[in-house]
Amino acid sequence: MSSTPPPPGDREKIVSKLPAPLQQELKVRTAQHNLDIQDAVEAGISAWSGLGSNLPSIDTAGAKAFSTWLPAGQWDNFKSACRARGVPLVQGLAQSVSTWLQNNPAPGVQRPAIVKRFVVCNQKGGVGKTAVTAGVGQALAESPEQLYPVAISKHFAIARTSADPAADVTAVEQLPGPGLRVLLVDFDPQGHLTKQLGHELLHLDGDSLTKHMAGEAKGKLEDLVVAVEDDRFDDRLHLLPSCTDAFLLDVKLSGVRAREAALERALSPIESDYDVIIVDCPPSLGLSMDAAAYYGRRRDAESLGNSGILVVVQAEDSSADAYGLLTNQIDDLRSDMHLELDYLGIVVNHYDARRGYIATSSLDSWMAIRDPRVVGLVGDLKEQKEAVRVKQPLLAYAPQCPQSLALRALAREIA
């Protein structure tokens, strides 16, 4: 145990020991409260020093090295207090940290007043809508009691000069998972989201989302929902699988009353079970896309940006053409139905600067769009393809990879 001269700001570095579980709990709790560890330890020592009696002993066997910065003089005063109370210094520090933890319980998960509804779309197929849908959902459902690496750089231009899309990540911050209850809706008849997460498509002769939207339901929609299994999600991440009958959805919707609201009517019975519902749309501009866009509209008393359209593109010309078609459809819906329909932003997916001028110049073009703006840049790396092959969630398969870090950042940006 030692101390070093105080740095600027009149603090000194102290080195001691603390049980590893207590260190981890302190690390998570301070992140949950958006505090520095040094401030928590300072407050804990002050609170412990003011107690009128000693606390029950804490098991400090196997304590690991621990260091932080405290106000000049506090550590010396603390050592004197430990001697006066007959408490070993490591035990006193453990009790001080425990005191702070008890005085600052974990904050509850911040749940939206109105369920967030993210509609992930682009008329062009193959841009990675499904990967973005799954990744954002996973990131929002991660445990609030664990810390996860999140990319905090937004300097997208850095990535343009590197063969590695991860070069944009100039810093990584360890943050608690949001802990939200998330439903992923596979709205694409091809069922890529369902298959990638290791589930089977619903039977054609059974119940389905299509049947609920067309007024042909055979049971409750909640009975079709399945869990995406992994300890980090702890039953917070669910999936509504696709069914191939969705290929007929536009035909069925043509005869449905108020067809634009068909998806909302189908999902409304289960909305209260979730904080976020993310719809993975098919590459279509038909009636099904109208229903999906309508579902993402801003409702009465809903805050701006709580829900809306998330457009996934690639850094190449055909994505730009498809983007124009999609935005025209959105504009028509806005004007024809007088909808308050917000864009959550643009995600440039599968980006790889090694593809040269086409990729880098296309990224420049996307970045030049200010409304909606680019809110995420996700690299084209092998981990996503590997996760799809083994039918595992990316954030469980490769939680530290650059794609996972970027998807966590995107989730926090739009949520």
Side-chain angles (χ1 to χ4, degrees):
M1 292 165 283
S2 63
S3 65
T4 58
D10 202 29
R11 282 183 177 265
E12 60 183 351
K13 183 179 181 180
I14 64 97
V15 180
S16 185
K17 290 185 176 181
L18 198 63
L22 207 54
Q23 289 192 40
Q24 180 62 20
E25 189 174 1
L26 176 64
K27 187 176 180 181
V28 172
R29 190 70 55 79
T30 51
Q32 291 172 331
H33 286 282
N34 196 27
L35 292 173
D36 288 332
I37 287 178
Q38 64 182 17
D39 295 326
V41 176
E42 176 188 348
I45 288 176
S46 295
W48 180 86
S49 300
L51 296 176
S53 62
N54 287 346
L55 296 175
S57 181
I58 294 173
D59 183 5
T60 59
K64 305 294 184 181
F66 174 79
S67 64
T68 189
W69 296 87
L70 295 178
Q74 187 183 41
W75 188 242
D76 288 335
N77 293 336
F78 177 62
K79 289 190 288 186
S80 298
C82 287
R83 286 194 296 268
R85 294 186 180 195
V87 175
L89 188 57
V90 173
Q91 178 66 214
L93 181 59
Q95 290 184 12
S96 297
V97 169
S98 180
T99 297
W100 184 85
L101 290 168
Q102 292 179 45
N103 291 342
N104 296 270
V109 173
Q110 299 299 308
R111 305 199 182 279
I114 298 176
V115 61
K116 294 177 178 288
R117 303 168 317 283
F118 301 161
V119 179
V120 183
C121 56
N122 192 331
Q123 184 271 339
K124 183 180 184 298
V127 296
K129 296 185 296 292
T130 297
V132 170
T133 297
V136 168
Q138 293 164 39
L140 292 175
E142 285 184 314
S143 172
E145 300 301 324
Q146 298 291 330
L147 299 181
Y148 304 95
V150 181
I152 61 174
S153 170
K154 295 180 183 177
H155 301 294
F156 297 114
I158 296 174
R160 292 176 294 175
T161 62
S162 171
D164 180 6
D168 182 55
V169 182
T170 57
V172 174
E173 188 172 2
Q174 298 290 326
L175 296 175
L180 298 177
R181 302 165 301 175
V182 180
L183 175 66
L184 305 175
V185 178
D186 193 346
F187 201 44
D188 188 340
Q190 299 175 90
H192 294 313
L193 179 61
T194 301
K195 297 170 188 174
Q196 288 183 16
L197 294 175
H199 289 275
E200 298 293 330
L201 270 64
L202 298 172
H203 293 295
L204 190 59
D205 58 352
D207 208 1
S208 68
L209 177 59
T210 296
K211 291 184 175 66
H212 280 260
M213 292 177 66
E216 302 168 358
K218 298 182 177 181
K220 294 182 178 180
L221 190 68
E222 65 187 53
D223 294 336
L224 304 179
V225 174
V226 295
V228 178
E229 301 288 351
D230 191 89
D231 289 345
R232 71 184 57 230
F233 308 133
D234 192 25
D235 200 34
R236 287 183 295 270
L237 183 61
H238 293 171
L239 167 72
L240 178 56
S242 179
C243 178
T244 53
D245 66 357
F247 281 114
L248 304 173
L249 182 56
D250 279 8
V251 175
K252 290 180 176 292
L253 286 180
S254 64
V256 172
R257 176 186 57 83
R259 59 195 181 214
E260 292 84 3
L263 180 59
E264 181 166 303
R265 288 196 299 268
L267 293 176
S268 60
I270 60 174
E271 280 190 353
S272 61
D273 296 332
Y274 299 99
D275 303 306
V276 183
I277 295 178
I278 310 178
V279 181
D280 183 26
C281 294
S284 166
L285 292 177
L287 298 179
S288 57
M289 186 58 222
D290 284 351
Y294 183 89
Y295 185 60
R297 81 193 190 287
R298 197 187 325 152
R299 297 176 178 175
D300 291 343
E302 185 171 12
S303 59
L304 184 67
N306 187 70
S307 300
I309 304 293
L310 184 66
V311 185
V312 181
V313 301
Q314 288 182 312
E316 42 84 31
D317 294 339
S318 60
S319 266
D321 296 337
Y323 172 78
L325 294 172
L326 175 64
T327 54
N328 286 339
Q329 183 177 12
I330 298 300
D331 289 343
D332 288 344
L333 279 172
R334 280 171 159 172
S335 59
D336 294 347
M337 302 191 67
H338 307 289
L339 299 182
E340 296 289 346
L341 188 52
D342 304 322
Y343 285 103
L344 300 172
I346 298 171
V347 180
V348 182
N349 194 33
H350 294 166
Y351 181 71
D352 189 345
R354 292 172 297 185
R355 292 176 182 148
Y357 175 74
I358 297 252
T360 57
S361 62
S362 294
L363 179 59
D364 283 334
S365 297
W366 291 121
M367 294 297 295
I369 299 175
R370 302 302 182 190
D371 183 22
R373 64 186 178 87
V374 172
V375 292
L377 177 65
V378 183
D380 187 12
L381 301 173
K382 64 182 179 63
E383 286 83 2
Q384 175 63 47
K385 299 178 180 67
E386 292 172 351
V388 170
R389 173 64 64 88
V390 298
K391 300 186 185 309
Q392 289 185 18
L394 173 65
L395 273 65
Y397 174 77
Q400 307 286 335
C401 78
Q403 287 167 316
S404 294
L405 271 62
L407 287 165
R408 290 192 186 101
L410 170 61
R412 286 161 172 79
E413 182 71 17
I414 64 176

